Amino acid sequence: MADRLGELARRFTGLLGSDSVITDPVRLRTYECDGLTVHRTTPGLVVLPTTAEQIAAVVTECVRTRTPYVARGSGTGLSGGALPRGDGVLIVTTRMRRVLEIDVVGRRAVVEPGVTNLAITQAALPHGYYYAPDPSSQQVCSIGGNLAENSGGAHCLKYGFTVNHVLAAEIVTPDGEIVTLDALDPGYDLLGAFVGSEGTLGIATKTTVRLTRLPEKVKTLLAAFESTEAGGRAVSAVIGAGIVPAAIEMMDALAIEAAEASVRCEYPPGAGAVLIVELDGPEEEVAAEYAQVVDLCSEAFEIRIAADDVERAAIWKGRKSAFAAVGRISPAYIVQDGVVPRTALPEVLARIDALSAEYGCRVANVFHAGDGNLHPLVLFDDADPRAGARAEELSGAILDLCVRHGGSITGEHGVGVDKSRYMPRMFSEDDLDAMHRLRCAFDPWNLCNPGKIFPTPRLCGEVPGVRRGVHPLVASGEAELW
Amino acid sequence: MVTADRGLFAALSRVCPDVREATEDDAITGVIPSWTAAPATAAEAAALMRLAAHHDLAVTARGAGTKLDWGNPPRRADLLVDLGNLDGILEHQAGDLVVRVQPGVRLDPLARILAEQGQQLALDDPVGGATVGGTISTAVCGPRRLRYGAPRDLLIGVTTVLADGTITRSGGKVIKNVAGYDLGKLFTGAFGTLGLVVEAVFRLHPLPAACAWLILNPADRATAVSAMRTLLHSQAAPSAIEWDSAQGPPEVAALFEGGAAESRAAALRRSLGDGRTSDRPPPWWGTHPDGTLIEVRFPVGRFSEVLGEIDEAARDHAVAARTRGGFGLLHVGVSEDPADAPDTAAFIMRIRGNLAALGGVVIVRRAAGAVRDRVDVWGPGGAVRLMRRVKERFDPQGLLSPGRLVGGV
């Protein structure tokens, strides 16, 4: 294996230049994990290409030598989707960070994969546009990673996910070809299937995204409730009234406590839950909806309204820092990401409370209340050797709960390596087999980010009795393909 | 019926009682299959597919049959699987804004049922009478795609019967879900070449409290395009902006939905200095022009150039081209007189060639054989090689509507 990687390193140095190939063990170790640090593997080799052609050449070499490879953007993923292979190559796209085009008339931007999510918005803002999907890591996460994970964010309730905003992607396929997947092309929506495939169907090298017009008005309010039940009733009332807020987020008492300890967000004292509701759109529409929302939050004991962008940022500060903030109140914690139908939220939250008591682990709840996407934070003390396992078990029990209620084991963080073992709880063997057919169509050698998504290694095998390429009659000019 | 066929017919009726010999009414772009079977359950559909795979029967799926003349004629068609009897609304959780339906449910009655709860499946039905399954399989969309997206954007879960009869599911019943590959995406626009959709879960939207249309009658094309651009880039957030020249001089209409819809429309009318507002759409709204139907897809920013190319090609080839649509998607209606077929074909090839440079794609939807004989209805397509590989994995025997899709898939 070392020989093979050594040979590849030499070839890649020839292809990319020596400053684009990392073999030094100390430097390799800086790539050992993504945002989910519990899984670590030092990559065999790291390359830092600057063009699609270089990536294609690297992939071609990997295929020739049957070497597994993994693509990585900024490494902020939370499911180990960019976990490298010790016997493989890590292709890092951080040097490909040019915004190639901002086309305001056409409402689109063309960017390289290493461009950060926020950089697109920053480039578009002077024109009155922005890039709508906004994962919490948007300051650092790359658009290539966003495509791989189909990233969401607080505002996806109204505006949708990455997949709803990608118009085309140039990719390097797992056999080293550069192909453009365009939403305008007829036939299978390969672009849609590629987005969210967690880096297993190829590597995006150039992406065209839709830009969204800035709303005329944004109104943000924070409502404090005695309990999550009371907050949940307000959410149901808002959705029931036919309002689609830009965001509707909830934090429970423990999450608020953590945020206070960390960023002193100064949410109303004594709140059992806070709800952040953001409305955006045409001014008159927002004004009308806003009045309705205030009415529907009648159980709130305090409502704060952001008068300007500074106050809006203050309201969001606690929510946006919630994950990291939990570090202030617990030595260690697991960030969970599950989804339940929104109407099941009260029952599921009550059950999480019961599980928390049963396992003796505190659970802080932060969630996208509008679409039922829960982020329970399971707290534990990693000094206690058994606590980690217990927290892990509880975390898994929460996913079971989500699946039992007709939900999903992941709403936005992805399956990666972290949740592949939970896939059979949500999908049958036949379901996974159908997904694997797509995998095999793209990557018959299982070299492109192997070991992710699927719970057990699967082989592709040959397609039985299939003619490949052009029909002989067509090739000979005797028939036309219609 | 030869003996072998009679045996097959008996075998088919054993797994699906509602089977009969096909007639001209069952033709798929002119190809008449041998039998038509209408399964009553997904299990019957799966049994039919297993039997078809065993006996090497080519299968085409049909919903209401409103777009069965789109695409290529299949290279083979033995069995038409009519999914019209699978027409149940299985689950409507209003509080979750989600509906789970069978493929034979028609959009119209579904809309009425959802409206009772103040909700909608925000998909347009430009041909009229379409089923959910047909809408997914043809990926057809209309004016409101601007706000709500295409079928692929609203489909959140799908259950399918694959060519070998396996029933599989991907996605789920929640709007936010990234577990596993989203195979629903593959099945949208697949024209039944990957499997049968036997169940679909859609994201719903609240019905808007009010709708208002701003209708403009610009003096010329340049004014029309400029007004449409103003609408597109305005913060009044129109849900749809459409153009029509099929009725004569161009007319532009924009839909505003939700709070203060009428006053938002009126404000734009004032700033554009033209037009009227209405609580009803113009009669052409959300329909296709008559005649031979050509679909043109293009990047949003190219609207004016695309119209220009179409006009110029129409002039050069003496074709009366009626255009209708908006940013990114236009439909062109031309004469269906067989005598005009050579001109029509030349016109199609001309715009296909010229629009490619603008990132545009030209697809022939509804056309007589005389036109089809002269042009490839799909054009060259995009990642056709990858599509073929997907097809091979999902349908290795090549039994599902073989050749109906782009690239002979």
Side-chain angles (χ1 to χ4, degrees):
Chain A
M1 182 185 90
D3 283 355
R4 187 169 42 127
L5 288 173
E7 187 219 316
L8 280 175
R10 279 189 297 280
R11 289 196 70 104
F12 292 158
T13 303
L15 286 165
L16 279 67
S18 58
D19 66 334
S20 299
V21 181
I22 298 172
T23 54
D24 169 41
V26 177
R27 288 183 67 203
L28 285 177
R29 205 168 307 137
T30 59
Y31 294 98
E32 68 183 358
C33 63
D34 60 12
L36 185 68
T37 55
V38 63
H39 300 280
R40 291 168 194 267
T41 305
T42 305
L45 191 62
V46 170
V47 293
L48 296 151
T50 52
T51 65
E53 289 71 23
Q54 287 184 350
I55 293 180
V58 168
V59 167
T60 303
E61 281 301 310
C62 287
V63 172
R64 187 181 63 80
T65 55
R66 297 293 188 263
T67 307
Y69 58 92
V70 177
R72 171 187 161 117
S74 305
T76 56
L78 291 171
S79 57
L83 182 74
R85 295 270 299 210
D87 60 348
V89 178
L90 187 70
I91 302 171
V92 180
T93 59
T94 47
R95 286 189 185 168
M96 299 173 72
R97 51 197 327 154
R98 285 181 303 163
V99 174
L100 300 171
E101 190 188 345
I102 297 285
D103 169 10
V104 178
V105 172
R107 303 199 309 172
R108 61 179 197 165
V110 184
V111 297
E112 290 188 330
V115 169
T116 63
N117 173 295
L118 192 61
I120 304 177
T121 287
Q122 283 165 343
L125 270 180
H127 309 284
Y129 279 80
Y130 73 112
Y131 178 60
D134 62 337
S136 315
S137 55
Q138 68 178 147
Q139 294 193 18
V140 275
C141 65
S142 71
I143 196 70
N146 286 184
L147 256 68
E149 300 297 326
N150 188 17
S151 303
H155 293 83
C156 61
L157 175 66
K158 179 168 178 180
Y159 291 100
F161 317 95
T162 301
V163 71
N164 308 113
H165 296 267
V166 174
L167 303 173
E170 176 194 86
I171 67 165
V172 170
T173 63
D175 47 0
E177 225 187 306
I178 300 174
V179 173
T180 297
L181 308 178
D182 193 319
L184 297 178
D185 284 327
Y188 309 149
D189 181 5
L190 296 179
L191 177 66
F194 177 85
V195 176
S197 63
E198 305 198 27
T200 62
L201 300 182
I203 303 170
T205 50
K206 190 165 81 180
T207 303
T208 307
V209 297
R210 179 188 295 116
L211 298 176
T212 304
R213 184 75 169 102
L214 281 174
E216 189 175 28
K217 183 78 187 170
V218 182
K219 220 153 166 126
T220 310
L221 69 86
L222 179 130
F225 295 86
E226 302 283 353
S227 65
T228 54
E229 289 80 9
R233 282 192 290 273
V235 175
S236 290
V238 169
I239 302 285
I243 297 169
V244 183
I248 184 160
E249 304 279 305
M250 188 147 48
M251 291 166 72
D252 72 1
L254 192 54
I256 298 166
E257 182 193 325
E260 291 295 351
S262 170
V263 297
R264 286 204 271 171
C265 49
E266 294 175 338
Y267 286 169
V274 294
L275 197 61
I276 299 172
V277 185
E278 193 156 282
L279 300 162
D280 70 9
E283 185 145 14
E284 290 171 272
E285 186 178 35
V286 170
E289 287 183 346
Y290 171 76
Q292 263 183 296
V293 169
V294 170
D295 271 356
L296 297 168
C297 287
S298 55
E299 283 188 74
F301 65 80
E302 187 176 337
I303 291 180
R304 291 181 188 170
I305 300 131
D308 53 32
D309 284 348
V310 177
E311 290 189 20
R312 182 176 358 271
I315 285 180
W316 275 107
K317 192 165 146 194
R319 168 61 187 89
K320 291 212 166 175
S321 65
F323 287 6
V326 168
R328 290 298 188 98
I329 59 164
S330 175
Y333 60 97
I334 296 169
V335 178
Q336 190 46 284
D337 166 41
V339 191
V340 295
R342 204 192 48 76
T343 49
L345 269 176
E347 200 182 330
V348 169
L349 287 175
R351 185 68 197 131
I352 289 176
D353 263 357
L355 284 169
S356 163
E358 200 178 303
Y359 282 82
C361 288
R362 290 189 297 167
V363 178
N365 282 300
V366 178
F367 47 95
H368 307 297
D371 45 30
N373 186 193
L374 302 163
H375 290 306
L377 302 153
V378 182
L379 317 190
F380 66 99
D381 182 357
D382 53 356
D384 173 357
R386 284 166 311 173
R390 220 163 41 230
E392 183 65 35
E393 232 178 280
L394 168 55
S395 186
I398 292 174
L399 289 187
D400 277 335
L401 191 59
C402 292
V403 173
R404 253 203 323 279
H405 280 86
S408 171
I409 59 170
T410 172
E412 52 187 4
H413 294 172
V415 176
V417 285
D418 196 48
K419 288 185 173 169
S420 56
R421 65 188 187 284
Y422 295 114
M423 284 290 276
R425 301 190 192 180
M426 193 168 158
F427 295 108
S428 73
E429 196 56 30
D430 283 343
D431 299 340
L432 293 172
D433 182 61
M435 291 178 193
H436 199 249
R437 292 180 195 223
L438 176 62
R439 168 76 196 247
C440 292
F442 276 73
D443 180 21
W445 312 279
N446 194 32
L447 294 172
C448 184
N449 208 12
K452 314 291 164 71
I453 304 177
F454 294 97
T456 44
R458 285 155 190 264
L459 294 175
C460 287
E462 282 301 304
V463 180
V466 171
R467 71 183 162 76
R468 294 197 170 269
V470 195
H471 191 283
L473 286 178
V474 175
S476 64
E478 290 172 60
E480 220 182 310
L481 218 51
W482 27 255
Chain B
M1 223 189 253
V2 292
T3 319
D5 282 1
R6 218 170 277 135
L8 269 177
F9 184 84
L12 288 168
S13 16
R14 268 196 299 279
V15 299
C16 173
D18 190 351
V19 61
R20 56 177 173 77
E21 279 183 67
T23 69
E24 255 173 30
D25 293 340
D26 301 316
I28 310 132
T29 330
V31 179
I32 302 173
S34 304
W35 305 284
T36 295
T41 61
E44 276 187 24
L48 280 172
M49 294 289 265
R50 265 194 304 277
L51 199 67
H54 183 73
H55 292 285
D56 199 44
L57 302 180
V59 176
T60 291
R62 176 174 72 186
T66 59
K67 294 175 281 291
L68 211 56
D69 57 347
W70 287 17
N72 288 320
R75 280 191 290 269
R76 288 171 56 202
D78 301 305
L79 177 65
L80 182 77
V81 177
D82 181 337
L83 296 167
N85 287 347
L86 290 177
D87 62 351
I89 297 170
L90 304 174
E91 199 177 348
H92 175 213
Q93 275 293 352
D96 295 325
L97 286 156
V98 159
V99 71
R100 187 162 65 92
V101 293
Q102 289 188 312
V105 170
R106 293 185 191 229
L107 291 179
D108 242 9
L110 177 61
R112 278 196 296 276
I113 287 162
L114 297 174
E116 287 167 16
Q117 310 273 341
Q119 298 185 350
Q120 60 167 335
L121 171 56
L123 291 176
D124 293 312
D125 181 11
V127 180
T131 62
V132 157
T135 302
I136 294 169
S137 298
T138 56
V140 68
C141 46
R144 291 180 301 167
R145 70 188 180 283
L146 186 68
R147 172 169 184 167
Y148 299 101
R152 52 96 84 174
D153 295 300
L154 300 178
L155 182 69
I156 58 173
V158 68
T159 305
T160 53
V161 177
L162 301 185
D164 59 7
T166 314
I167 298 180
T168 73
R169 190 173 63 80
S170 88
K173 294 199 298 179
V174 283
I175 291 163
K176 209 168 174 184
N177 172 19
V178 293
Y181 295 148
D182 185 358
L183 298 185
K185 295 286 190 295
L186 282 187
F187 281 84
T188 47
F191 276 75
T193 60
L194 293 178
L196 304 175
V197 173
V198 291
E199 207 176 291
V201 188
F202 288 101
R203 166 182 196 165
L204 302 176
H205 284 86
L207 268 178
C211 291
W213 279 264
L214 170 61
I215 301 166
L216 312 170
N217 295 96
D220 51 40
R221 195 179 79 205
T223 317
V225 171
S226 151
M228 286 180 73
R229 260 202 202 127
T230 303
L231 288 162
L232 179 70
H233 295 280
S234 94
Q235 290 178 314
S239 297
I241 307 163
E242 295 279 297
W243 146 293
D244 175 59
S245 80
Q247 318 288 312
E251 184 162 73
V252 168
L255 164 65
F256 295 83
E257 295 179 311
E262 147 68 31
S263 82
R264 280 150 58 206
L268 268 158
R269 187 193 64 218
R270 283 190 297 276
S271 75
L272 288 166
D274 177 30
R276 63 186 195 281
T277 57
S278 168
D279 57 1
R280 280 162 195 278
W284 49 267
W285 182 266
T287 63
H288 288 155
D290 295 332
T292 297
L293 184 69
I294 303 156
E295 181 170 315
V296 183
R297 306 174 180 180
F298 53 94
V300 165
R302 304 294 201 171
F303 186 65
S304 169
E305 288 146 287
V306 167
L307 279 178
E309 285 289 349
I310 292 169
D311 277 2
E312 208 181 296
R315 236 185 352 259
D316 290 355
H317 294 280
V319 166
R322 304 176 298 275
T323 52
R324 184 175 295 162
F327 291 101
L329 179 70
L330 272 171
H331 284 90
V332 186
V334 298
S335 156
E336 50 191 351
D337 185 340
D340 294 331
D343 286 335
T344 299
F347 166 74
I348 292 165
M349 286 191 281
R350 159 85 171 268
I351 58 171
R352 182 174 281 163
N354 288 355
L355 296 185
L358 303 174
V361 169
V362 173
I363 301 162
V364 180
R365 287 308 196 188
R366 194 178 52 229
V371 173
R372 291 170 171 277
D373 289 344
R374 291 176 164 85
V375 290
D376 179 338
V377 298
W378 291 108
V384 169
R385 198 182 61 95
L386 279 172
M387 275 180 49
R388 287 201 186 109
R389 278 161 47 173
V390 171
K391 169 76 173 176
E392 286 169 2
R393 291 286 171 182
F394 279 82
D395 177 22
Q397 290 172 262
L399 293 178
L400 304 184
S401 293
R404 195 166 172 216
L405 199 52
V406 58
V409 168

